Amino acid sequence: MSTPNRVYIARLAGVAVFDPNGDQVGRVRDAVARIRPTQRPPEVVGLVAEMPMRRRIFLSINRITSIDADAVVLGSGTLNLRRFEKRPNELLVLQELLDRRVQLEPGGQPGAVVDVAMECSRGGEWSLSRVAVREQTGRLTRRGHLHQVEWDRVRGLSGIAANRGTANLLAVLEDMRPADLANALQDLPDARRNEVAAALDDERLADVLSELPEHDQVEILAALDRERAADVLEEMDPDDAADLLNELPPPEQDVLLDLMEPNEADPVRQLLRYASGTAGSVMTSEPVILPPDATVAEALARIREEQLSPAVAAQVFVARAPMTTPTGRYLGMVHFQRLLREPPAEMLGGVVVNDIDPLRPTTPLPEITRRMATYDLVAMPVVDRNNRLVGAVTVDDVLDHSLPRDWRDRDAVPAPSPAEGTDGADG
């Protein structure tokens, strides 16, 4: 194995994994260590890698030829694709040890685990060897000293952690996409998942909640105080907030909506009025809307805004004032490709397209799917009986509500075929 003798595991989080041909197969998410019956440090038996479609698999340490801060390289292109399941005598190093409250020996100085190193012996066996621990000073303005000590000099690494912080685990997870972070949260025990979720800022937590199964969304929201829960709902897209509130009892819905700012709560209340499985229930009430006298340059500037999803930014809807839903009379829409072909000073009223009938709030989901597929659209307008724009259904809305209800739940991922290999931390 061509690799440093000692590797700090938190630095491996997110590192790409390559097969012998140089093709990326996933990214490192954790290391698996086997607890020994003696006092010897746990043996590292492999890494956990995240594959496309959020599947986490086990990579035996014996099949890895190179480990460094830039890449992990496998010695074989054959992978065991069965979802990783931790065994009773194993621990996930980052998940279970980061931020753990421990004591340094001798003296019992309290601290928190910042990182853990694994080291390879002359015989090729990898073990957890050293622990990076930051002292707890008890003073908010001063950071404690960072110690790198042998495994056996740290007390409190085994057993269930009574309490711990989240700073170091969040540092490992901070660069993940919301969907990947949601996936990582599902691997944590419920109490730890709620701690980590609560430590995220409102905007980040809102993005992550939108990527979680409904039951996890509800449990995390319930673990927050109601004021914080309302703040997080305000950061969510109105359709995602409405979907989440639909999972709660009506009295709890009313409490949270009353705590939200009125301008944030009103669109959510409107969405909650529509029947499930209709355009009204799946649409976003905040598409890009501009008046007919806006220019192409103004439209291009608007769809470049970073917070817009690709599906929402793919077109501009044109309507009479007011520009918030429900708008004045709906006039049509302009796809961003058309905007790129027109002079910047051209007004939208001169390039608007209205030859496709818009949806009604009561249009059922199968009909929406057929019409979007027929016209190759990534979004369709939704208008009320007075021809006012009330929202837009995007392709991601359709996918989200067409897939099985539990499609985000990792426990619902179907098992692979026997040809994909066997599970567990086998050598």
Side-chain angles (χ1 to χ4, degrees), residues 80 82 415-422:
N80 172 359
R82 192 177 297 276
S417 66
E420 292 181 324
T422 57

Side-chain angles (χ1 to χ4, degrees), residues 4-267:
N5 180 259
R6 180 183 298 156
V7 178
Y8 277 91
I9 296 170
R11 299 175 189 175
L12 289 179
V15 168
V17 179
F18 297 93
D19 66 16
N21 297 320
D23 295 324
Q24 184 175 335
V25 297
R27 291 189 178 275
V28 176
R29 291 306 180 206
D30 215 325
V32 185
R34 181 178 294 148
I35 300 169
R36 309 188 211 233
T38 65
Q39 295 302 312
R40 296 172 61 199
E43 176 191 3
V44 178
V45 293
L47 302 177
V48 177
E50 186 161 29
M51 310 287 286
M53 300 301 294
R54 306 185 189 179
R55 176 181 291 172
R56 294 195 172 195
I57 67 169
F58 175 76
L59 303 176
S60 172
I61 200 74
N62 296 325
R63 297 180 183 176
I64 297 173
T65 60
S66 174
I67 301 176
D68 59 42
D70 298 317
V72 170
V73 181
L74 303 176
S76 169
T78 302
L79 295 175
N80 172 359
L81 296 180
R82 192 177 297 276
R83 179 185 167 188
F84 168 75
E85 296 287 348
K86 190 184 75 165
R87 293 175 176 177
N89 65 332
E90 294 173 345
L91 66 86
L92 290 169
V93 177
L94 299 183
Q95 177 179 312
E96 299 181 47
L97 297 185
L98 283 196
D99 299 299
R100 183 180 282 251
R101 301 287 189 249
V102 295
Q103 296 85 40
L104 295 172
E105 298 290 358
Q109 171 66 39
V113 176
V114 174
D115 205 344
V116 181
M118 63 181 189
E119 196 162 330
C120 187
S121 69
R122 292 182 179 179
E125 178 182 273
W126 286 84
S127 300
L128 300 181
S129 59
R130 296 177 69 83
V131 186
V133 178
R134 188 173 297 281
E135 287 183 12
Q136 291 180 283
T137 65
R139 296 173 59 182
L140 296 177
T141 58
R142 179 183 170 191
R143 296 186 72 191
H145 294 298
L146 182 65
H147 299 271
Q148 297 186 45
V149 299
E150 298 297 326
W151 178 272
D152 57 11
R153 279 197 54 200
V154 183
R155 191 176 63 208
L157 291 171
S158 60
I160 299 174
N163 55 68
R164 50 182 160 168
T166 58
N168 297 301
L169 183 55
L170 286 176
V172 170
L173 303 176
E174 67 179 350
D175 293 329
M176 287 187 177
R177 292 174 178 267
D180 294 331
L181 178 51
N183 195 32
L185 289 182
Q186 289 189 63
D187 283 331
L188 299 177
D190 290 353
R192 183 65 169 156
R193 177 202 61 199
N194 292 344
E195 287 175 356
V196 174
L200 299 172
D201 63 57
D202 291 349
E203 183 177 358
R204 179 75 158 154
L205 180 53
D207 291 340
V208 171
L209 282 178
S210 300
E211 302 292 342
L212 283 167
E214 286 83 355
H215 61 87
D216 285 334
Q217 293 181 16
V218 171
E219 290 172 11
I220 289 173
L221 201 71
L224 305 174
D225 65 70
R226 284 174 168 173
E227 292 281 355
R228 173 83 198 282
D231 291 342
V232 173
L233 286 167
E234 288 175 358
E235 294 294 335
M236 298 178 74
D237 291 336
D239 53 326
D240 290 328
D243 288 342
L244 175 49
L245 287 172
N246 258 326
E247 301 295 320
L248 302 177
E252 188 67 15
Q253 291 180 21
D254 294 337
V255 169
L256 292 172
L257 286 166
D258 288 342
L259 289 172
M260 293 171 65
E261 293 293 330
N263 62 319
E264 300 286 352
D266 288 347

Side-chain angles (χ1 to χ4, degrees), residues 354-388:
N354 57 10
D355 58 349
I356 297 177
D357 291 336
L359 304 170
R360 296 293 183 185
T362 55
T363 304
L365 192 58
E367 175 63 18
I368 300 170
T369 305
R370 282 193 293 269
R371 291 175 63 180
M372 292 182 75
T374 298
Y375 298 113
D376 294 326
L377 297 174
V378 295
M380 288 196 71
V382 182
V383 302
D384 63 14
R385 65 181 64 185
N386 296 317
N387 203 36
R388 300 180 302 172

